[in-house]
Amino acid sequence: MTRYGGPEVTELRDGVPEPSGGPNEVCVEVRAAGLNPVDFKTREGKLKIIHRYRLPAVMGNEIAGVVESVGVGVTRFGAGDHVYARVDKDTMGGLAEKAVVHEDHLAKMPTSLEFETAAAVPLAALTALQALRDELRLRNGQRVFISAGAGGVGTFAIQIAKHFGADVATTASPRGAALVRRLGADTVIDYTHERFEDSLRDYDGAFDLLGGDDLARTFSVVKREGSVVSIAGMPEPETARRDLGGGGALAALFWTVSLSTRWSAARHGVHYRYLFMHPSGSDLETLAALIDAKKVKVVVDRVFPFAEAKEALAYLERGKAKGKVVVQMSR
Ligand SMILES: NC(=O)c1ccc[n+]([C@@H]2O[C@H](COP(=O)([O-])OP(=O)(O)OC[C@H]3O[C@@H](n4cnc5c(N)ncnc54)[C@H](OP(=O)(O)O)[C@@H]3O)[C@@H](O)[C@H]2O)c1
C-alpha cells in the first residue's frame, strides 16, 4: 500500500526487504493469507486514528505458513512448524512471502486443515470467539441474535454460539440462507424481505456485524439487562480503554461519536459494547481444537493466487462473500 485511498494505491512489488524478527518473534514463510474488511478499511484510511502505518506498508492481517526461524526467547515454536496467526496490528504484513509474528500471537495450525483453509481462520474466528465468550459471556440455553451470519465473522460466530449451547437467530439473503442453516442457525431471517425486529424478541444478547441502522434496530430484539456487542458500529469509551490501551483523549472522542448509539441502548435498557478483537495465540489454540474436533467448519468462499491479490480484495469489498476470501502464495 503506497498511500491511503482506493484500490489504485496498492500494487504488487518485487524486492521489498524481508522483515527481520527480533526477540520473541517468529519468522514465517507465508503459504496463504486471509483477507478481511479491515484490509480495505485500512487502505481507505478509516482506521488512521488508531493505526498509522509507515508507507509503503505491506498489507494483510492473517496468515498460515511454515516457521522459518525463531528469535531469542521463543520456546513454543521451531523451524518447520505449521502455524497460523492474526499478525500484529501495528505492522500488518501478511500479504508477502515472509511475515514476522510475536510468538504470543501465533499457534500451531489445526492439523486437519490445508494452509489456504487455515489462513481463513484467525481474524474472523478470534473476533467471534472473543465477542461471544468474553463480552456476551454466552451460556448454554441462552438465545443470541447474530447479524450477517453468512460472512467471514458470521459463519464462525454461528458455530461457536452453537458450541456454547445457544439458540441462534441470524440474518441472510436467499444467497446465504442454506449456508447459515447448515452451520446450525435455528432461526434465519431473509433480510431482503423481512425486518428482523418484527419477529425476534427478548434475546439474551446480540452480536452486531453491520452497524448503522441494523445496530439501532438490534437493541429492540434484546431483553432489558441484555447486551449488544458490535464490531461494526461506533466505538465507545470502553473500547479505548480495554481494547486500545488508549488514554482519556481517545475515550472522550469515542464517548462523543457513540453518544446516540449509547443513548439508544440505554432507552432499551441494554448494555452496549464495541469490541476491537485482539491477536491471541492461546485463543487460536482453542479454535484449532474446535476445528480438529469438527465442532467448527471453516467456510472459504474463494481462493485467489497471490498475483490476483488486488482482485481478491475487490471481490471481498463487494460485501457478498460467503465465508472467507483467501490469497494463496505461489511456491
Ligand atoms: N472490530 C473488530 O475487531 C472487527 C473484526 C472483524 C470484522 N469487523 C467488521 O465486521 C464486519 C463484518 O466482517 P466480515 O468479515 O464478516 O464481513 P464480510 O465477510 O465481508 O461480510 C459479507 C457478508 O455480509 C452479508 N451481509 C451484507 N449486508 C447484510 C445485511 N444487511 N444483513 C445481513 N447480512 C448482510 C452478506 O450476505 P449477502 O451477500 O447474502 O447479502 C455477506 O455474506 C465488517 O464491517 C468488519 O470490518 C470488525
Short mmCIF file of all heavy atoms in Angstrom, two decimals, residues 252-280:
data_model
loop_
_atom_site.label_atom_id
_atom_site.label_comp_id
_atom_site.label_asym_id
_atom_site.label_seq_id
_atom_site.Cartn_x
_atom_site.Cartn_y
_atom_site.Cartn_z
N ALA A 252 -12.60 10.02 25.32
CA ALA A 252 -13.52 11.17 25.19
C ALA A 252 -14.06 11.27 23.77
O ALA A 252 -15.25 11.52 23.55
CB ALA A 252 -12.79 12.45 25.58
N LEU A 253 -13.17 11.03 22.79
CA LEU A 253 -13.61 11.07 21.39
C LEU A 253 -14.67 9.99 21.14
O LEU A 253 -15.72 10.24 20.54
CB LEU A 253 -12.40 10.88 20.47
CG LEU A 253 -12.73 10.75 18.98
CD1 LEU A 253 -13.28 12.05 18.42
CD2 LEU A 253 -11.50 10.32 18.19
N PHE A 254 -14.37 8.77 21.62
CA PHE A 254 -15.32 7.66 21.42
C PHE A 254 -16.62 7.91 22.18
O PHE A 254 -17.69 7.47 21.76
CB PHE A 254 -14.67 6.33 21.85
CG PHE A 254 -13.61 5.83 20.89
CD1 PHE A 254 -12.88 4.67 21.18
CD2 PHE A 254 -13.34 6.49 19.69
CE1 PHE A 254 -11.92 4.19 20.30
CE2 PHE A 254 -12.37 6.01 18.81
CZ PHE A 254 -11.66 4.86 19.12
N TRP A 255 -16.53 8.60 23.33
CA TRP A 255 -17.73 8.95 24.10
C TRP A 255 -18.65 9.80 23.21
O TRP A 255 -19.85 9.57 23.13
CB TRP A 255 -17.32 9.73 25.36
CG TRP A 255 -18.47 10.01 26.29
CD1 TRP A 255 -18.90 9.24 27.33
CD2 TRP A 255 -19.34 11.16 26.26
NE1 TRP A 255 -19.98 9.81 27.93
CE2 TRP A 255 -20.28 10.99 27.30
CE3 TRP A 255 -19.43 12.30 25.45
CZ2 TRP A 255 -21.28 11.93 27.56
CZ3 TRP A 255 -20.43 13.22 25.70
CH2 TRP A 255 -21.34 13.04 26.75
N THR A 256 -18.02 10.73 22.50
CA THR A 256 -18.80 11.65 21.66
C THR A 256 -19.42 10.92 20.45
O THR A 256 -20.61 11.04 20.20
CB THR A 256 -17.90 12.79 21.14
OG1 THR A 256 -17.24 13.36 22.26
CG2 THR A 256 -18.70 13.86 20.41
N VAL A 257 -18.56 10.14 19.74
CA VAL A 257 -19.09 9.53 18.50
C VAL A 257 -20.14 8.45 18.79
O VAL A 257 -20.96 8.14 17.93
CB VAL A 257 -17.97 8.94 17.59
CG1 VAL A 257 -17.03 10.03 17.11
CG2 VAL A 257 -17.20 7.82 18.27
N SER A 258 -20.10 7.88 20.00
CA SER A 258 -21.04 6.80 20.32
C SER A 258 -22.27 7.29 21.09
O SER A 258 -23.10 6.48 21.50
CB SER A 258 -20.34 5.71 21.14
OG SER A 258 -19.92 6.23 22.39
N LEU A 259 -22.37 8.60 21.25
CA LEU A 259 -23.43 9.15 22.11
C LEU A 259 -24.83 8.65 21.72
O LEU A 259 -25.57 8.13 22.55
CB LEU A 259 -23.37 10.68 22.06
CG LEU A 259 -24.16 11.42 23.14
CD1 LEU A 259 -23.72 10.99 24.54
CD2 LEU A 259 -23.96 12.93 22.98
N SER A 260 -25.16 8.77 20.44
CA SER A 260 -26.54 8.41 20.06
C SER A 260 -26.74 6.90 20.15
O SER A 260 -27.82 6.42 20.51
CB SER A 260 -26.90 8.95 18.69
OG SER A 260 -26.27 8.20 17.70
N THR A 261 -25.69 6.12 19.87
CA THR A 261 -25.81 4.66 20.00
C THR A 261 -26.02 4.27 21.46
O THR A 261 -26.89 3.46 21.79
CB THR A 261 -24.53 3.96 19.47
OG1 THR A 261 -24.25 4.43 18.17
CG2 THR A 261 -24.70 2.46 19.45
N ARG A 262 -25.23 4.88 22.35
CA ARG A 262 -25.36 4.54 23.77
C ARG A 262 -26.71 5.01 24.32
O ARG A 262 -27.32 4.35 25.16
CB ARG A 262 -24.19 5.13 24.57
CG ARG A 262 -22.86 4.40 24.28
CD ARG A 262 -21.70 4.89 25.12
NE ARG A 262 -21.34 6.25 24.79
CZ ARG A 262 -21.60 7.30 25.54
NH1 ARG A 262 -22.20 7.16 26.70
NH2 ARG A 262 -21.25 8.52 25.14
N TRP A 263 -27.17 6.13 23.81
CA TRP A 263 -28.47 6.65 24.24
C TRP A 263 -29.57 5.68 23.81
O TRP A 263 -30.46 5.33 24.58
CB TRP A 263 -28.69 8.03 23.62
CG TRP A 263 -29.96 8.66 24.07
CD1 TRP A 263 -30.19 9.29 25.27
CD2 TRP A 263 -31.20 8.70 23.35
NE1 TRP A 263 -31.49 9.72 25.33
CE2 TRP A 263 -32.13 9.37 24.17
CE3 TRP A 263 -31.60 8.23 22.10
CZ2 TRP A 263 -33.45 9.58 23.77
CZ3 TRP A 263 -32.91 8.44 21.69
CH2 TRP A 263 -33.82 9.11 22.53
N SER A 264 -29.46 5.19 22.57
CA SER A 264 -30.43 4.23 22.06
C SER A 264 -30.41 2.94 22.89
O SER A 264 -31.46 2.39 23.24
CB SER A 264 -30.06 3.94 20.61
OG SER A 264 -31.02 3.23 19.97
N ALA A 265 -29.20 2.48 23.23
CA ALA A 265 -29.08 1.27 24.06
C ALA A 265 -29.73 1.50 25.42
O ALA A 265 -30.49 0.66 25.92
CB ALA A 265 -27.60 0.90 24.23
N ALA A 266 -29.44 2.66 26.02
CA ALA A 266 -29.97 2.97 27.35
C ALA A 266 -31.50 3.01 27.34
O ALA A 266 -32.16 2.54 28.27
CB ALA A 266 -29.40 4.30 27.84
N ARG A 267 -32.04 3.55 26.26
CA ARG A 267 -33.50 3.64 26.14
C ARG A 267 -34.14 2.24 26.18
O ARG A 267 -35.25 2.06 26.66
CB ARG A 267 -33.85 4.33 24.82
CG ARG A 267 -35.06 5.22 24.86
CD ARG A 267 -35.06 6.22 23.72
NE ARG A 267 -34.60 5.68 22.45
CZ ARG A 267 -35.38 5.08 21.55
NH1 ARG A 267 -36.66 4.94 21.77
NH2 ARG A 267 -34.87 4.64 20.42
N HIS A 268 -33.41 1.24 25.65
CA HIS A 268 -33.92 -0.13 25.66
C HIS A 268 -33.43 -0.90 26.90
O HIS A 268 -33.71 -2.10 27.02
CB HIS A 268 -33.47 -0.88 24.40
CG HIS A 268 -34.18 -0.42 23.17
ND1 HIS A 268 -33.70 0.58 22.34
CD2 HIS A 268 -35.36 -0.80 22.63
CE1 HIS A 268 -34.54 0.77 21.34
NE2 HIS A 268 -35.57 -0.05 21.50
N GLY A 269 -32.69 -0.25 27.78
CA GLY A 269 -32.19 -0.92 29.00
C GLY A 269 -31.15 -1.99 28.68
O GLY A 269 -31.02 -2.99 29.38
N VAL A 270 -30.38 -1.77 27.60
CA VAL A 270 -29.44 -2.78 27.11
C VAL A 270 -28.02 -2.25 27.22
O VAL A 270 -27.77 -1.05 27.02
CB VAL A 270 -29.78 -3.08 25.62
CG1 VAL A 270 -28.71 -3.86 24.94
CG2 VAL A 270 -31.12 -3.81 25.52
N HIS A 271 -27.07 -3.11 27.54
CA HIS A 271 -25.66 -2.69 27.62
C HIS A 271 -25.05 -2.73 26.22
O HIS A 271 -25.24 -3.70 25.48
CB HIS A 271 -24.90 -3.63 28.56
CG HIS A 271 -23.45 -3.26 28.69
ND1 HIS A 271 -22.45 -3.97 28.04
CD2 HIS A 271 -22.84 -2.26 29.34
CE1 HIS A 271 -21.28 -3.39 28.31
NE2 HIS A 271 -21.48 -2.37 29.10
N TYR A 272 -24.29 -1.68 25.85
CA TYR A 272 -23.66 -1.62 24.54
C TYR A 272 -22.14 -1.62 24.68
O TYR A 272 -21.58 -0.89 25.49
CB TYR A 272 -24.08 -0.34 23.79
CG TYR A 272 -23.30 -0.14 22.49
CD1 TYR A 272 -23.49 -1.01 21.42
CD2 TYR A 272 -22.37 0.90 22.35
CE1 TYR A 272 -22.78 -0.84 20.24
CE2 TYR A 272 -21.66 1.07 21.17
CZ TYR A 272 -21.87 0.19 20.12
OH TYR A 272 -21.15 0.34 18.96
N ARG A 273 -21.51 -2.45 23.87
CA ARG A 273 -20.04 -2.51 23.86
C ARG A 273 -19.57 -2.66 22.43
O ARG A 273 -20.12 -3.46 21.66
CB ARG A 273 -19.62 -3.72 24.70
CG ARG A 273 -18.19 -4.18 24.47
CD ARG A 273 -17.29 -3.71 25.58
NE ARG A 273 -16.05 -4.46 25.58
CZ ARG A 273 -14.92 -4.04 25.00
NH1 ARG A 273 -14.86 -2.88 24.37
NH2 ARG A 273 -13.83 -4.78 25.06
N TYR A 274 -18.55 -1.86 22.04
CA TYR A 274 -17.92 -2.05 20.74
C TYR A 274 -16.58 -2.73 20.97
O TYR A 274 -15.75 -2.24 21.76
CB TYR A 274 -17.69 -0.70 20.03
CG TYR A 274 -17.02 -0.90 18.68
CD1 TYR A 274 -17.77 -1.00 17.52
CD2 TYR A 274 -15.64 -1.04 18.58
CE1 TYR A 274 -17.17 -1.22 16.29
CE2 TYR A 274 -15.02 -1.27 17.36
CZ TYR A 274 -15.80 -1.35 16.21
OH TYR A 274 -15.20 -1.59 15.00
N LEU A 275 -16.38 -3.85 20.30
CA LEU A 275 -15.16 -4.64 20.52
C LEU A 275 -14.18 -4.49 19.36
O LEU A 275 -14.57 -4.64 18.19
CB LEU A 275 -15.54 -6.12 20.66
CG LEU A 275 -14.38 -7.12 20.64
CD1 LEU A 275 -13.62 -7.11 21.96
CD2 LEU A 275 -14.88 -8.54 20.35
N PHE A 276 -12.92 -4.22 19.69
CA PHE A 276 -11.83 -4.44 18.72
C PHE A 276 -11.17 -5.74 19.13
O PHE A 276 -10.64 -5.84 20.24
CB PHE A 276 -10.79 -3.32 18.79
CG PHE A 276 -11.04 -2.21 17.82
CD1 PHE A 276 -11.28 -0.93 18.28
CD2 PHE A 276 -11.04 -2.43 16.45
CE1 PHE A 276 -11.53 0.11 17.40
CE2 PHE A 276 -11.29 -1.41 15.56
CZ PHE A 276 -11.54 -0.14 16.04
N MET A 277 -11.20 -6.74 18.25
CA MET A 277 -10.59 -8.03 18.60
C MET A 277 -9.09 -7.85 18.84
O MET A 277 -8.49 -6.88 18.38
CB MET A 277 -10.83 -9.07 17.50
CG MET A 277 -10.32 -8.75 16.12
SD MET A 277 -8.54 -8.99 15.86
CE MET A 277 -8.42 -10.75 16.15
N HIS A 278 -8.48 -8.80 19.56
CA HIS A 278 -7.03 -8.74 19.75
C HIS A 278 -6.39 -10.06 19.31
O HIS A 278 -7.00 -11.13 19.44
CB HIS A 278 -6.67 -8.41 21.21
CG HIS A 278 -7.26 -9.38 22.19
ND1 HIS A 278 -8.49 -9.21 22.76
CD2 HIS A 278 -6.76 -10.54 22.70
CE1 HIS A 278 -8.74 -10.21 23.57
NE2 HIS A 278 -7.72 -11.03 23.56
N PRO A 279 -5.18 -9.99 18.76
CA PRO A 279 -4.48 -11.22 18.39
C PRO A 279 -4.25 -12.06 19.65
O PRO A 279 -4.03 -11.51 20.73
CB PRO A 279 -3.13 -10.73 17.85
CG PRO A 279 -3.27 -9.27 17.64
CD PRO A 279 -4.35 -8.79 18.55
N SER A 280 -4.32 -13.37 19.52
CA SER A 280 -4.08 -14.23 20.69
C SER A 280 -3.73 -15.64 20.25
O SER A 280 -4.57 -16.34 19.68
CB SER A 280 -5.34 -14.26 21.57
OG SER A 280 -5.27 -15.34 22.49
#
